[in-house]
Amino acid sequence: EDKVVQSPLSLVVHEGDTVTLNCSYEVTNFRSLLWYKQEKKAPTFLFMLTSSGIEKKSGRLSSILDKKELFSILNITATQTGDSAVYLCAPLPGGGADGLTFGKGTHLIIQP
Amino acid sequence: DGGITQSPKYLFRKEGQNVTLSCEQNLNHDAMYWYRQDPGQGLRLIYYSQIVNDFQKGDIAEGYSVSREKKESFPLTVTSAQKNPTAFYLCASTRTVSSGNTIYFGEGSWLTVV
C-alpha cells in the first residue's frame, strides 16, 4: 500500500495557467514534508514544510501543509515552460525508523 | 564543498554481470539511501542505511545488495539476479532524527544493460 500518493500523475497546461499539485502521505513519526523538482537529472529542493497552515513561498511557487489531514499542496502561478518537470514529494520521518519514500511524482508539462 | 558524489555517471553492463555503483558523501550524514528511477516514473527505494554496519531493504531490494562499512560510503551492487536493471540510480543522504534536514542527492548514475 502506497505511503505517499501524488495527484495528478500528469498534467498539461498552457503558459500563464496556475496549477495545484497534491500530495497525501502516511508515515510513522512524521517530521517534515519535502517537495522537489526533477528535470533530467537529480531532484532539486523546493520546500520543507514542518508546521500546518503556514504557507511557504518562493517566487511563483508556494506550498502548504495540513498535518491533520496528512496532505500538502504545491501551487505554481503564471506557469512558464521552464516549470515543466516532475514534482516529487516525500514525508521525512523523525526517529530514523523508516526509509524515505517518495510519491510517484506529478509530471507537469507547460505548453507555450 | 560538501556533497554527494556518485560514480560512474554512465555504465554499460552485459547481461549476467554484477556492477557496483559508488556513493560517497562528506556531509557527515548518518542516513543514506539508494533509489531507482525508470523513465517517466518516480523514485523507488532500494535500500537505506541509518547507521554504519546496518541497512534495511526498501520497496524493491530484490537483485541488489549494499554495504555500509564507513559512514561516508554506501555502494550499491546490481547483481545478475536483477532482471531489468536498466535505469537511473540516485543516491541520497540526510541527517537523521533530531534536525529534520532536507535530503541531498547525488547526480545519479545511468545503468544500461547491453
Side-chain angles (χ1 to χ4, degrees):
Chain A
E1 187 174 343
D2 287 350
K3 294 182 180 180
V4 188
V5 179
Q6 290 188 245
S7 65
L9 291 180
S10 64
L11 183 59
V12 181
V13 300
H14 288 100
E15 265 192 314
D17 288 351
T18 294
V19 297
T20 298
L21 310 183
N22 306 298
C23 174
S24 64
Y25 62 89
E26 179 183 337
V27 67
T28 303
N29 193 18
F30 173 86
R31 171 161 292 278
S32 305
L33 192 286
L34 303 169
W35 281 98
Y36 282 79
K37 176 183 181 181
Q38 186 180 26
E39 295 170 270
K40 294 195 181 299
K41 48 183 181 177
T44 54
F45 174 74
L46 294 176
F47 296 110
M48 181 168 69
L49 305 162
T50 305
S51 302
S52 273
I54 299 175
E55 185 183 49
K56 290 209 171 182
K57 289 182 69 85
S58 176
R60 294 176 295 102
L61 277 66
S62 64
S63 186
I64 197 163
L65 175 68
D66 184 334
K67 290 168 75 173
K68 181 179 178 184
E69 299 297 329
L70 308 184
F71 192 83
S72 176
I73 61 171
L74 174 69
N75 281 319
I76 309 175
T77 60
T79 52
Q80 302 171 358
T81 55
D83 296 327
S84 296
V86 176
Y87 290 84
L88 300 164
C89 71
L92 185 66
D98 291 339
L100 192 55
T101 300
F102 282 83
K104 292 182 179 178
T106 293
H107 189 190
L108 178 63
I109 297 173
I110 310 298
Q111 292 181 335
Chain B
D1 287 342
I4 301 178
T5 302
Q6 284 187 241
S7 63
K9 191 169 184 178
Y10 299 97
L11 182 62
F12 295 89
R13 187 194 96 172
K14 292 183 179 180
E15 284 192 24
Q17 285 182 337
N18 292 356
V19 292
T20 297
L21 308 180
S22 169
C23 178
E24 303 277 332
Q25 53 97 359
N26 60 2
L27 300 163
N28 199 33
H29 284 174
D30 295 301
M32 298 186 74
Y33 307 83
W34 273 106
Y35 295 91
R36 169 183 172 139
Q37 188 172 36
D38 294 283
Q41 303 295 314
L43 304 178
R44 291 188 291 168
L45 182 63
I46 306 173
Y47 269 98
Y48 63 102
S49 168
Q50 303 282 7
I51 195 170
V52 174
N53 291 323
D54 189 39
F55 48 82
Q56 286 78 41
K57 292 181 179 180
D59 300 319
I60 55 165
E62 185 175 351
Y64 299 97
S65 65
V66 292
S67 62
R68 187 84 186 278
E69 297 176 1
K70 299 185 298 182
K71 189 176 185 179
E72 314 82 68
S73 178
F74 191 41
L76 173 74
T77 297
V78 185
T79 74
S80 57
Q82 170 50 237
K83 298 305 178 188
N84 186 21
T86 296
F88 182 54
Y89 291 87
L90 275 167
C91 179
S93 70
T94 67
R95 286 165 63 183
T96 52
V97 191
S98 60
S99 55
N101 274 6
T102 185
I103 314 160
Y104 290 76
F105 285 94
E107 290 297 306
S109 296
W110 292 92
L111 173 62
T112 303
V113 173
V114 297

